[in-house]
Amino acid sequence: MKKIEEMTEEELDSYLANKAKERERYYREEATEEEKEKKAQRDAYLARETSYRRSGIYYEEQTKDYLHNLNYKERLAKAEELNGCKFKDAKPCKDAFAPRDDFDGPTRLFGAWNCDGEKVAVIRHPSLILFRMVITILSAIAGFMLIVLTLVDVFPVDYLYLSLAGLFITPFLLFKFSDALRFLDNIEFNRHTGLVRTPYTLFRKPFYIPIEDLEYVVGVEVKSARGGGSFQTGYLSCRKYPEKFWFGHAIGLGDGGNLNDWAQINRFMDTTQPIDRYYYEIMEYHYKLDKNAHFNGPFPEVMKKYFDADDCQVNRWKVW
């Protein structure tokens, strides 16, 4: 069979028509209910997008006045103003830096990455989520032990109420507590200012830095037992850091990240081009919730003009 790039226009039309018939037959006869439901959702999404095109709103230009127009030196000076001190050069990193334009990796953004169109929030590692997991496990073990000790008459029956706290109440409160404080763990990439804000640590408050002074270092790939999954590790390394700040040599990334993620972050911070469709699904998710990327405030008002208020879907060709 010919490669697609070698086909004539007639052969390509025939090939695409046959593929469309195969997909139609598959979803009519062989697909699971879950696959059929996902296809129906995709079809509805595309139908809504078609309605935006027909109405003309899809191609309407929006003002981009809210985006920064500062060069690197101006943004560096702005970061120094926000930090309250000058920058100094960090010691050279021994690890190799990753390229900023490698888009060959898997497309994913959920999990430790969130975006509202104005900001991308990337959770650091280790984080409060790890603390929550450890305390939840210990609390569940304690609750289970209380049940066993109560059943063997070591403790009175009233202690069963404490076991409920260990098994259910404490994990729930920890979840709510850490969820409310997730912004403390977030690395914020702000497209509208061109600056990155580092997360809080035990010994250091956040500081601002231009994205040009951040580099991504690919770590090892951690694999589980045979047949299990794996995840990539990685961290951000700073070329500069504020002279009055205590500084650690690396900022770990939740979910590890990969070269594609780092490339997409750099593309997102480039205000000369619109936001890539890579982000649309998670942006729509935040719009529906009316939450920003940190989940600690409302969805950015300036980004709402790119969404259909009824469908909660991006309804513009280019989102700036």
Side-chain angles (χ1 to χ4, degrees):
M1 181 179 175
K2 286 185 179 179
K3 294 181 179 179
I4 290 180
E5 55 268 23
E6 297 174 350
M7 292 181 181
T8 63
E9 188 172 342
E10 292 78 9
E11 289 173 334
L12 182 59
D13 289 341
S14 176
Y15 172 78
L16 293 176
N18 289 334
K19 282 293 182 183
K21 289 179 180 179
E22 288 180 14
R23 286 195 299 271
E24 182 181 355
R25 181 193 58 77
Y26 175 79
Y27 282 105
R28 185 176 63 251
E29 301 174 4
E30 301 177 26
T32 64
E33 290 301 320
E34 183 180 358
E35 289 175 325
K36 290 178 181 178
E37 183 178 352
K38 287 183 178 179
K39 181 179 183 299
Q41 291 174 352
R42 287 196 302 270
D43 291 345
Y45 189 97
L46 293 174
R48 291 193 294 269
E49 186 173 286
T50 301
S51 70
Y52 306 146
R53 292 172 185 265
R54 288 173 177 169
S55 68
I57 194 173
Y58 191 73
Y59 300 103
E60 287 182 2
E61 293 289 339
Q62 294 290 337
T63 178
K64 295 176 279 187
D65 294 342
Y66 56 88
L67 295 174
H68 77 87
N69 56 2
L70 306 176
N71 59 36
Y72 166 72
K73 289 185 177 180
E74 291 171 328
R75 284 183 286 114
L76 184 65
K78 181 66 175 178
E80 290 177 339
E81 179 186 344
L82 292 171
N83 296 334
C85 63
K86 295 287 187 180
F87 279 96
K88 62 180 178 181
D89 292 335
K91 292 181 180 180
C93 181
K94 296 180 181 179
D95 299 317
F97 295 145
R100 296 175 182 263
D101 56 355
D102 190 329
F103 296 99
D104 293 333
T107 300
R108 64 168 182 80
L109 194 64
F110 285 95
W113 308 67
N114 282 284
C115 177
D116 57 21
E118 178 185 20
K119 300 177 288 289
V120 166
V122 181
I123 200 165
R124 63 163 178 167
H125 181 81
S127 65
L128 286 175
I129 292 178
L130 181 62
F131 170 78
R132 182 183 73 190
M133 290 174 59
V134 172
I135 299 301
T136 298
I137 292 171
L138 294 177
S139 177
I141 293 173
F144 181 74
M145 290 178 64
L146 276 175
I147 292 176
V148 173
L149 293 173
T150 302
L151 292 175
V152 298
D153 294 331
V154 174
F155 291 140
V157 177
D158 293 343
Y159 275 72
L160 284 175
Y161 294 108
L162 288 177
S163 68
L164 293 177
L167 291 172
F168 303 107
I169 299 175
T170 301
F172 176 77
L173 293 177
L174 280 171
F175 176 82
K176 289 295 184 182
F177 178 75
S178 63
D179 201 46
L181 296 180
R182 73 165 69 195
F183 71 94
L184 298 176
D185 285 324
N186 283 343
I187 309 164
E188 177 188 291
F189 296 84
N190 194 316
R191 174 176 165 88
H192 293 186
T193 64
L195 298 176
V196 181
R197 192 198 70 186
T198 63
Y200 288 82
T201 70
L202 188 59
F203 303 105
R204 187 199 69 217
K205 66 179 182 179
F207 62 86
Y208 294 86
I209 186 171
I211 190 171
E212 291 89 340
D213 289 318
L214 275 181
E215 299 288 352
Y216 176 61
V217 177
V218 180
V220 299
E221 184 178 0
V222 179
K223 297 183 178 180
S224 58
R226 183 180 297 177
S230 65
F231 66 92
Q232 182 67 55
T233 63
Y235 67 89
L236 295 177
S237 176
C238 296
R239 290 182 177 272
K240 293 182 174 70
Y241 64 95
E243 58 186 9
K244 293 184 180 179
F245 283 59
W246 178 89
F247 178 71
H249 74 284
I251 305 172
L253 298 181
D255 279 6
N258 57 47
L259 296 179
N260 184 63
D261 289 328
W262 179 235
Q264 290 290 358
I265 287 289
N266 281 275
R267 175 183 283 177
F268 176 82
M269 294 293 282
D270 181 4
T271 56
T272 65
Q273 55 184 325
I275 296 174
D276 195 84
R277 284 183 168 272
Y278 177 88
Y279 292 99
Y280 281 15
E281 185 178 358
I282 190 66
M283 286 167 59
E284 290 163 352
Y285 172 72
H286 280 268
Y287 181 77
K288 290 175 185 177
L289 296 178
D290 193 23
K291 294 293 184 181
N292 63 12
H294 299 296
F295 290 93
N296 66 343
F299 191 85
E301 193 66 31
V302 72
M303 298 305 300
K304 290 183 178 180
K305 58 189 177 184
Y306 296 107
F307 293 81
D308 184 280
D310 296 323
D311 299 331
C312 298
Q313 181 175 323
V314 172
N315 62 0
R316 292 296 195 277
W317 179 34
K318 294 180 180 179
V319 179
W320 293 90

